[in-house]
């Protein structure tokens, strides 16, 4: 299952904090990196790629882009599971910046996260207060704190790589294409407008047929589905973050037909836009912060 996260290109990261009694989200993937902190969930099961294991009272894992993952209740009997999920763009720190000497440890850690990283109990206990209090910081201070947390994680000892290198050819997963990055940037910038395959292909100096095939090969998803995912990402963000009507959100995110928006949303999210908004607004659902 591909998760359509509400993190937009205008955000640095999103943090979701909640207390719950079980794990009910299915195995899934998304392009964003995810740092997941869990407390008081001993006996739950962690699934990262081809790795499965029971977790202890405390858990801190970094999941790379497009690596399937999920946590499941299994033998956990706790009714007060604390979970903090931080998601950030894979290009939050671009390649040129990561090549600087001072960021070399973070670069190596992000590369390793393509296989999932479990941090030691010592590291988890040491950084837990800062992760739990990150939502109390604002603006640039919160971004600096996230970078500081990532740096401390990258220099920590006894981190454990979870997934086998051969799983889904993880070692070789990369767009590695300026054309793809340029196309995705164009789609993210103009998601609220009529974006066509022809216009995007012309932008990167390719024929429609060649670009369509090239895009699917490099990203694993066709052009239309990718554009829909981008639009749904913005739509889910607006459903959470605004009081605008569902119809207005649909039109502002490039969907010109309400029935089509509802159908596509339900197919991708397994619920209607109305149900999605109600679930996030439900009491005890937790707090989500966008930076």
């Amino acid at each position: 299952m591909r998760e359509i996260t509400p993190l937009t290109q205008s955000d640095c990261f999103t943090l979701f904090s909640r207390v719950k009694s079980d794990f009910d989200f299915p195995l899934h993937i998304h392009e964003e990196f995810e740092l997941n902190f869990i407390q008081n969930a001993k006996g739950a099961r962690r699934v990262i790629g081809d790795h499965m294991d029971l977790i202890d009272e405390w858990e801190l894992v970094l999941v790379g882009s497009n690596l399937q993952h999920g946590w499941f209740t299994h033998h956990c009997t706790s009714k007060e599971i604390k979970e903090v999920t931080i998601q950030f763009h894979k290009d939050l720190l671009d390649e040129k910046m990561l090549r600087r000497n001072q960021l070399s440890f973070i670069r190596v850690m992000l590369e390793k996260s393509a296989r999932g990283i479990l941090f030691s109990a010592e590291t988890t206990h040491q950084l837990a207060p800062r992760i739990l209090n990150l939502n109390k910081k604002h603006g640039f201070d919160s971004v600096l704190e996230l970078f500081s947390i990532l740096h401390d994680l990258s220099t920590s000892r006894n981190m454990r790589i979870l997934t086998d290198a051969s799983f889904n050819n993880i070692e070789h997963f990369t767009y590695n294409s300026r054309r793809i990055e340029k196309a995705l940037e164009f789609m993210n910038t103009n998601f609220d407008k009529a974006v066509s395959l022809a216009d995007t292909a012309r932008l990167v100096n390719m024929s429609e047929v060649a670009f369509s095939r090239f895009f699917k090969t490099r990203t694993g998803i066709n052009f239309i589905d990718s554009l829909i995912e981008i639009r749904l990402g913005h739509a889910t963000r607006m459903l959470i973050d605004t009081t605008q009507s569902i119809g207005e959100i649909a039109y502002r995110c490039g969907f010109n037909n309400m029935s089509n928006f509802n159908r596509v949303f339900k197919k991708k999210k397994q619920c209607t836009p109305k149900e999605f908004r109600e679930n996030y607004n439900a009491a005890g659902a937790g707090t989500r912060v966008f930076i």
Side-chain angles (χ1 to χ4, degrees):
M1 174 181 175
R2 179 179 290 272
E3 179 187 359
I4 311 298
T5 71
L7 188 66
T8 73
Q9 289 298 311
S10 299
D11 304 312
C12 287
F13 69 92
T14 179
L15 181 151
F16 187 36
S17 176
R18 59 179 173 171
V19 176
K20 58 188 187 181
S21 60
D22 58 9
F23 294 94
D24 55 8
F25 204 77
L27 193 67
H28 62 285
I29 63 172
H30 46 70
E31 292 215 342
E32 295 77 15
F33 285 90
E34 178 173 304
L35 182 64
N36 211 31
F37 168 80
I38 301 171
Q39 183 180 353
N40 197 28
K42 186 173 183 178
R45 172 174 284 170
R46 174 201 319 118
V47 179
I48 308 288
D50 61 356
H51 157 91
M52 286 191 294
D53 202 359
L54 299 183
I55 74 173
D56 212 330
E57 292 285 348
W58 295 61
E59 170 96 336
L60 184 59
V61 170
L62 179 63
V63 180
S65 178
N66 287 301
L67 175 61
Q68 67 183 49
H69 59 283
W71 280 260
F72 304 92
T73 305
H74 199 51
H75 297 316
C76 178
T77 58
S78 171
K79 298 302 179 184
E80 292 189 359
I81 301 168
K82 177 70 175 180
E83 183 176 42
V84 178
T85 300
I86 302 169
Q87 295 175 333
F88 56 95
H89 294 292
K90 63 180 183 179
D91 61 353
L92 178 61
L93 292 165
D94 68 21
E95 185 65 24
K96 288 184 179 180
M97 188 172 184
L98 285 172
R99 291 292 171 184
R100 303 294 194 273
N101 290 335
Q102 292 77 9
L103 295 175
S104 61
F105 287 104
I106 293 181
R107 174 177 56 79
V108 171
M109 179 183 71
L110 293 179
E111 290 173 352
K112 289 180 178 179
S113 74
R115 296 170 59 186
I117 299 174
L118 173 66
F119 297 99
S120 69
E122 180 183 1
T123 298
T124 302
H125 280 81
Q126 180 182 357
L127 291 180
R130 293 169 61 190
I131 293 172
L132 289 167
N133 289 315
L134 183 58
N135 62 353
K136 296 178 182 178
K137 292 186 175 291
H138 305 283
F140 190 58
D141 287 341
S142 64
V143 178
L144 286 178
E145 178 67 356
L146 175 61
F147 287 168
S148 178
I149 289 171
L150 292 176
H151 177 265
D152 288 349
L153 287 173
S154 72
T155 58
S156 66
R157 302 178 61 183
N158 301 319
M159 62 179 71
R160 177 185 170 195
I161 306 302
L162 299 176
T163 300
D164 188 84
S166 62
F167 181 76
N168 279 351
N169 293 316
I170 285 172
E171 296 284 8
H172 306 289
F173 184 86
T174 176
Y175 289 151
N176 195 27
S177 169
R178 292 182 180 179
R179 284 176 168 173
I180 293 296
E181 299 298 339
K182 188 174 183 180
L184 290 172
E185 181 182 0
F186 175 73
M187 294 159 68
N188 272 293
T189 302
N190 298 280
F191 70 93
D192 56 336
K193 306 178 181 68
V195 178
S196 69
L197 175 65
D199 289 340
T200 313
R202 193 178 305 114
L203 179 72
V204 297
N205 298 314
M206 296 180 72
S207 70
E208 289 184 47
V209 173
F211 173 71
S212 179
R213 187 182 304 114
F214 181 72
F215 191 94
K216 177 67 179 292
T217 299
R218 289 302 180 96
T219 67
I221 184 173
N222 65 43
F223 174 82
I224 294 298
D225 284 345
S226 181
L227 180 60
I228 287 173
E229 287 192 357
I230 290 170
R231 286 172 169 164
L232 286 179
H234 286 274
T236 53
R237 166 68 184 273
M238 293 175 70
L239 286 167
I240 294 171
D241 212 30
T242 76
T243 58
Q244 295 176 20
S245 71
I246 293 174
E248 186 176 358
I249 290 173
Y251 287 113
R252 290 191 63 182
C253 291
F255 294 95
N256 295 321
N257 183 294
M258 269 298 297
S259 61
N260 180 54
F261 173 62
N262 283 316
R263 179 182 58 80
V264 170
F265 193 99
K266 187 169 185 178
K267 180 180 178 181
K268 292 287 187 178
K269 300 292 289 185
Q270 285 73 54
C271 63
T272 66
K274 181 180 179 181
E275 291 168 342
F276 179 87
R277 173 173 269 174
E278 289 174 348
N279 288 340
Y280 264 91
N281 290 337
T287 58
R288 185 180 283 274
V289 178
F290 294 92
I291 303 296

